[in-house]
Amino acid sequence: SELSPYSVKVRSYFRYKGLPHEWIIRSAANMAEFQRHAKLPLIPLVLTPDGRALQDSTPIIEHLEGVHPEPWIHPPDPISAFVSALLEEYGDEWGNKWMFHYRWTYEADQDSAAERIARDVFPDASDDERRGTVAMLKERMIPRLSFVGSSDETRPTIEASFARVLELLEVHLGARPFLFGARPAFADFGLWPQLYQCASDPTPRRAIVARAPAVLAWIERMVTPVATGAFESWRALAPTLLPLLREDVGRRFLPWSAANARALTAGDRAVEVELDGVVWRQEPQKYHAKSLGALRARYAAVHGDDELERVLEGTGCLAWLT
């Protein structure tokens, strides 16, 4: 689906790698085929030439990276490589909160998204049938805001995070075409899809167009990314990437992610963590705890790099990774 950040994430990766593929919209017409192959009711679903079914965008990319390593998406120096993986996770798990919040909180965005989904799923429906589908989708999706923690109490935190990240990325991307230089990195494929979706919805798009033209150009560039040079050194990247790590990743995303994991371990029915002076409450999410575990394992594999540890400690990230 064009409205699925994780679907367009994998498509962008396929295009960058030059991997031949067919983009098949999941619809009522092919739902039975989808269900035959999918272990989970999630998109994207990748069917390989040898008949395997792959799901979950990050494992899909990691699997294919082992099969098709060129062009490489991991920066060569260990600090940039880990920060790229951290930002990929941040995009998947925290950036999704911006996207889902804006899409299903405001009426114009609700109508826009529901209409586009209805046209994808039932392309041959009549106008009356489509209106009914739009109403059904809104009735179904708006209550799911609680799944990403969006509420009246957390709205200021989510929207402040989105606004500040646009400011930080505008400075960073004003000097380079991709997050880590002149070629896309793992981080681009994680963070970009959420902002690509935001740029398709009326309310967040207005903010991107008005405040972040360099971010908008990157969003458009990542639809079909092409390398134009090399990765930059960490020394060159640090001045404008460190504020993002410090102000949003270490201050909001990782404390929330760790609290979610603690709540699941304790068997609690709710996650409660103070962010921006407000108590954030939501139902614990098992997948987020699993992905934090994978990120911590990735950090454990490079533990002992003194310079990396100084970067992570200085941005408030280290305590949540150990």
Side-chain angles (χ1 to χ4, degrees):
S1 170
E2 191 70 31
L3 278 82
S4 159
Y6 306 106
S7 293
V8 298
K9 171 183 175 180
V10 172
R11 184 181 65 187
S12 175
Y13 174 84
F14 271 52
R15 288 175 173 176
Y16 180 57
K17 290 285 183 170
L19 297 177
H21 61 280
E22 185 177 359
W23 172 262
I24 301 171
I25 301 293
R26 185 178 65 170
S27 68
N30 58 31
M31 188 61 70
E33 180 185 8
F34 172 83
Q35 291 172 341
R36 278 200 307 273
H37 296 287
K39 292 181 180 179
L40 299 169
L42 303 175
I43 52 176
L45 168 70
V46 174
L47 300 181
T48 68
D50 60 3
R52 284 179 295 169
L54 306 176
Q55 288 186 276
D56 191 345
S57 63
T58 298
I60 288 170
I61 289 176
E62 290 177 330
H63 169 78
L64 290 171
E65 195 67 9
V67 181
H68 303 281
E70 296 297 333
W72 190 239
I73 64 169
H74 299 293
D77 79 83
I79 298 177
S80 294
F82 184 79
V83 171
S84 176
L86 175 57
L87 291 178
E88 193 272 347
E89 171 76 0
Y90 163 74
D92 271 1
E93 308 302 335
W94 185 261
N96 185 251
K97 296 183 185 302
W98 311 324
M99 187 281 292
F100 205 87
H101 166 79
Y102 278 109
R103 179 162 286 176
W104 300 109
T105 294
Y106 298 104
E107 187 174 4
D109 305 279
Q110 296 165 359
D111 291 341
S112 171
E115 175 71 22
R116 286 178 286 154
I117 294 169
R119 289 184 182 278
D120 272 357
V121 177
F122 300 106
D124 300 321
S126 68
D127 289 346
D128 284 345
E129 289 170 333
R130 187 170 291 118
R131 280 192 289 270
T133 301
V134 166
M136 179 272 292
L137 285 166
K138 290 168 64 176
E139 184 177 353
R140 179 185 179 189
M141 298 304 293
I142 293 170
R144 293 188 178 191
L145 282 164
S146 62
F147 291 176
V148 299
S150 173
S151 65
D152 288 341
E153 290 74 26
T154 62
R155 180 184 303 192
T157 297
I158 294 172
E159 296 189 1
S161 169
F162 177 72
R164 183 58 177 147
V165 166
L166 286 186
E167 292 177 12
L168 295 173
L169 288 179
E170 181 65 16
V171 174
H172 183 71
L173 290 167
R176 54 190 55 83
F178 301 104
L179 291 174
F180 285 80
R183 57 197 309 113
F186 197 29
D188 292 272
F189 293 104
L191 188 55
W192 165 76
Q194 310 297 339
L195 291 171
Y196 173 78
Q197 295 299 328
C198 289
S200 78
D201 293 327
T203 301
R205 180 175 179 81
R206 281 196 296 273
I208 294 170
V209 170
R211 303 180 212 159
V215 175
L216 183 61
W218 169 71
I219 290 170
E220 294 169 349
R221 194 176 299 123
M222 278 296 297
V223 173
T224 306
V226 177
T228 59
F231 289 119
E232 294 179 36
S233 68
W234 175 250
R235 184 183 299 273
L237 297 163
T240 48
L241 268 188
L242 285 174
L244 176 60
L245 295 178
R246 184 170 51 249
E247 295 186 33
D248 217 53
V249 179
R251 176 183 163 194
R252 295 184 177 114
F253 164 58
L254 286 174
W256 165 81
S257 191
N260 178 74
R262 286 196 304 270
L264 282 167
T265 300
D268 295 338
R269 292 186 177 184
V271 178
E272 292 193 2
V273 58
E274 185 174 314
L275 300 176
D276 295 349
V278 175
V279 176
W280 179 295
R281 292 183 180 87
Q282 73 172 100
E283 182 181 338
Q285 301 294 309
K286 289 182 180 179
Y287 181 82
H288 298 322
K290 179 181 176 182
S291 62
L292 176 62
L295 183 64
R296 285 173 167 169
R298 189 185 290 271
Y299 172 70
V302 296
H303 175 67
D305 184 311
D306 291 343
E307 190 174 357
L308 173 61
E309 290 194 8
R310 282 195 293 272
V311 167
L312 295 175
E313 186 170 20
T315 55
C317 296
L318 184 62
W320 311 107
L321 296 170
T322 57

